[in-house]
Amino acid sequence: MSDNSPLAGNLQNLRAHFGYTLEQTAEGAGVTRQAIAKWESGQSVPDIAHADALAQFYNISLDDLIHHDTEKSGLGIPPKGKHLFGTVQVGERGQIVIPKSARDLFQLTKGTNLVVLGDEEGPLPGLALVKNDVFLNQATAYAHMGKGVPHDQ
């Protein structure tokens, strides 16, 4: 493994972030405490099966475990399937430009209809965008679940 690989630092950061001991991490990955210590120090690297076990233990992608560069990005490794696409600026008339990487990932093209959802309270007050058809399908599914169930239950 090359000296510039972020793997050892990622392992250290993840364990610190979750507050796990070497023993807890070793148990989660099915290895010894000494193996975790060597991987975190960069003395050795896990084989692919153990790297995958660590990625699953931390609920991150294997690619992020191996390649994510926290120093370069300024951000920790996101949970699997979660993304931070950066910031956008609201224009004079309320318009925003959705980053290209987000548009590509969610297949947003010109004319795609989005539902704008908002939450004023909770731990993360803010806005969310959901494809119109996805939102309507989910709403329809929830509506059907409630049919036939008395309202007083």
Side-chain angles (χ1 to χ4, degrees):
M1 170 128 296
S2 66
D3 291 337
N4 61 359
S5 170
L7 177 62
N10 287 342
L11 290 171
Q12 292 170 16
N13 292 338
L14 285 163
R15 189 167 63 80
H17 171 78
F18 286 100
Y20 293 143
T21 63
L22 284 170
E23 290 79 9
Q24 290 169 317
T25 305
E27 185 177 320
V31 296
T32 65
R33 172 193 151 309
Q34 292 82 358
I36 298 294
K38 285 183 178 182
W39 298 339
E40 286 186 4
S41 69
Q43 293 176 358
S44 65
V45 296
D47 63 26
I48 192 70
H50 289 116
D52 185 54
L54 284 163
Q56 288 181 31
F57 178 69
Y58 288 122
N59 191 33
I60 60 171
S61 73
L62 181 57
D63 184 58
D64 278 341
L65 177 65
I66 297 168
H67 298 291
H68 182 83
D69 191 334
T70 301
E71 286 186 27
K72 193 181 283 186
S73 70
L75 301 168
I77 299 174
K80 203 180 301 183
K82 308 294 183 194
H83 306 275
L84 178 62
F85 294 104
T87 60
V88 298
Q89 188 172 45
V90 178
E92 187 176 307
R93 296 183 52 213
Q95 71 276 22
I96 62 168
V97 175
I98 299 171
K100 182 175 180 354
S101 57
R103 292 191 318 261
D104 290 346
L105 180 67
F106 290 99
Q107 301 171 351
L108 303 176
T109 58
K110 182 179 179 180
T112 300
N113 289 315
L114 300 172
V115 175
V116 180
L117 304 170
D119 186 354
E120 294 182 61
E121 300 181 20
L124 295 172
L127 299 173
L129 303 173
V130 180
K131 279 185 171 180
N132 188 55
D133 57 336
V134 171
F135 181 80
L136 291 175
N137 288 340
Q138 206 55 51
T140 302
Y142 285 131
H144 288 152
M145 285 173 48
K147 289 190 178 187
V149 177
H151 292 287
D152 59 359
Q153 284 188 339

